[in-house]
Amino acid sequence: MMCSPRKQHGGGGGSHSASFLLGALLPTLLLFFLASDRVGEQLASISTYTLGNNNGSSSAHEQMTHDANLTDTERVFPGLAELLPRVATDDGTVIITSVNEAWSRPGSLLDLFRAGFRNGEGIAHLLNHTLIVAVDPGALAHCEAVHPHCYLLEVTSANVSSANRFMSKSYFELVWAKLELQQRVLQLGYSYLFTDVDIMWLRNPFRHISLYADMAVSTDRFNGDAEALTNAPNTGFYYVKSTNRTVEMVRRWRAARSRFPPTHDQAVFDEIKGELAGGELRIRFVFLETALFDGFCQLHGEMDRVCTMHANCCIGLENKVHDLTNMAADWKNYTSLAPAERRGSGRRWTAPDQCEDSMRQR
């Protein structure tokens, strides 16, 4: 049966038009859903980056705030972003230590620190990947006289140029200032190994740092289990892998200072390491055994395996310099022997008597 033109427009023709429109919309809808998947992936990556957001998503305002915070932080550390590529290893790792004027004078800890690399076993090249952070202009002048990679992080909230006895106000300001800079290093995409300047390097420590770890930290006393949170950490020597999670870890570490006043970074880290290992961050900690990363707190004495020697459990700059100088001489005597003689020599470290006395007298 034929239909009139009016009926074609208002009746069956309407269904043809609807079919046409639906057919045209289907490709568009398909593209929209495909694009939505990609947008979802992008939002997921942003929420992963902005770890402080509890609901798993991130608004444009929050992302802009995050970027602004990075800009503000970068202004606090002028020139750092340009310096790090010249210091980093091929895999983007920087060794960092910090000094003040007293520690960097000729014959003080900085000289002993640098000599350890030169006299160690195959580690002289690692000095080229070491950033020395000077916390006052005097330290910067001493550093630039002997080392190619120096950075001034001036601390003005306290007098930090003197020897800075343990647990003094100036000591606190030093250790917290270094952590602020280290957070920025991670944000710039570089992993780092921080080492106190009173640590003598003897062998390559990177060979004993697990790729599994987000953070590998030395211990004053090692309990035998490298993953046990019951180990007593010493934040004078630790490695941190650069990830979004570790940036947030250091941010929370710094923020926790106000919860445990007044104390230093190591004590605060010991208080919150369980929080950092749990929760949404799930930081993977590895604690370094003292047989390899030795120190005065739990001195092992053997020379055949040790990578570093830390003048921990020691109060007073003069005492650290005295006992580390004796151990530097021990190491030179040991390495002067032929390999076969080393194995049977039974050589041991000179006891750090002055440092032990300093702990008894405190």
Side-chain angles (χ1 to χ4, degrees):
M1 179 176 11
M2 291 186 64
C3 299
S4 67
R6 181 175 296 274
K7 287 183 179 178
Q8 284 180 1
H9 177 75
S15 63
H16 288 306
S17 299
S19 300
F20 174 81
L21 288 172
L22 184 59
L25 280 172
L26 281 173
T28 305
L29 289 169
L30 181 59
L31 288 172
F32 174 80
F33 285 118
L34 288 172
S36 297
D37 289 341
R38 296 189 183 97
V39 170
E41 291 169 2
Q42 291 168 353
L43 288 175
S45 68
I46 291 171
S47 65
T48 301
Y49 189 77
T50 313
L51 286 165
N53 190 340
N54 293 327
N55 63 14
S57 63
S58 176
S59 69
H61 172 72
E62 289 167 331
Q63 187 63 31
M64 287 171 63
T65 302
H66 179 78
D67 292 341
N69 289 340
L70 290 186
T71 303
D72 291 343
T73 307
E74 192 168 7
R75 284 198 295 270
V76 177
F77 305 109
L80 183 64
E82 293 75 25
L83 179 59
L84 290 176
R86 301 199 295 270
V87 185
T89 60
D90 290 341
D91 69 350
T93 301
V94 179
I95 300 165
I96 304 174
T97 193
S98 58
V99 294
N100 63 5
E101 196 277 332
W103 301 341
S104 58
R105 292 171 190 162
S108 192
L109 289 174
L110 182 58
D111 280 354
L112 284 168
F113 177 78
R114 297 183 72 254
F117 287 87
R118 294 193 300 268
N119 298 325
E121 292 186 353
I123 57 173
H125 68 285
L126 293 178
L127 263 181
N128 296 327
H129 303 293
T130 301
L131 177 65
I132 298 177
V133 177
V135 297
D136 58 64
L140 181 66
H142 291 316
C143 177
E144 291 179 336
V146 297
H147 191 70
H149 306 304
C150 306
Y151 184 81
L152 178 62
L153 173 64
E154 200 162 1
V155 179
T156 57
S157 54
N159 177 16
V160 298
S161 298
S162 60
N164 291 316
R165 290 183 69 84
F166 184 66
M167 298 297 283
S168 64
K169 181 179 186 296
S170 54
Y171 173 81
F172 289 157
E173 295 305 316
L174 273 177
V175 297
W176 287 108
K178 78 179 184 185
L179 198 58
E180 185 180 6
L181 179 136
Q182 289 161 17
Q183 180 180 329
R184 183 60 184 149
V185 170
L186 294 175
Q187 287 173 327
L188 289 168
Y190 294 91
S191 303
Y192 69 83
L193 195 164
F194 176 79
T195 170
D196 276 346
V197 76
D198 63 350
I199 293 178
M200 186 166 59
W201 286 46
L202 307 167
R203 295 183 174 96
N204 192 337
F206 289 105
R207 296 174 181 170
H208 302 281
I209 293 176
S210 171
L211 295 175
Y212 160 86
D214 293 311
M215 179 176 180
V217 58
S218 65
T219 55
D220 283 336
R221 291 172 180 82
F222 182 66
N223 69 8
D225 182 352
E227 296 184 25
L229 294 176
T230 51
N231 282 292
N234 187 305
T235 55
F237 187 94
Y238 63 97
Y239 167 84
V240 181
K241 184 190 305 179
S242 177
T243 67
N244 297 325
R245 289 163 47 254
T246 56
V247 170
E248 177 65 9
M249 176 194 76
V250 176
R251 189 197 67 77
R252 294 186 189 186
W253 184 0
R254 291 176 55 220
R257 179 184 185 183
S258 60
R259 292 163 50 193
F260 306 97
T263 191
H264 54 89
D265 62 329
Q266 179 174 304
V268 172
F269 174 77
D270 197 29
E271 291 283 353
I272 68 169
K273 63 181 187 288
E275 300 173 19
L276 299 172
E280 77 275 18
L281 285 184
R282 310 295 297 175
I283 297 297
R284 296 183 295 266
F285 292 115
V286 170
F287 296 90
L288 302 172
E289 59 176 300
T290 49
L292 294 170
F293 299 88
D294 213 345
F296 296 175
C297 291
Q298 193 179 32
L299 186 64
H300 286 266
E302 301 90 352
M303 294 182 161
D304 292 342
R305 299 176 59 210
V306 63
C307 292
T308 61
M309 177 61 69
H310 191 178
N312 53 7
C313 292
C314 183
I315 298 174
L317 174 61
E318 299 82 3
N319 297 323
K320 289 176 181 280
V321 170
H322 177 272
D323 288 351
L324 279 177
T325 298
N326 285 343
M327 290 189 166
D330 293 340
W331 179 255
K332 278 193 171 183
N333 290 335
Y334 170 77
T335 55
S336 68
L337 301 173
E341 293 177 305
R342 291 184 196 179
R343 288 190 290 272
S345 67
R347 295 287 181 100
R348 299 181 69 83
W349 300 108
T350 300
D353 291 333
Q354 287 196 195
C355 284
E356 290 175 356
D357 288 343
S358 74
M359 296 298 290
R360 285 191 287 266
Q361 296 168 11
R362 65 175 178 168

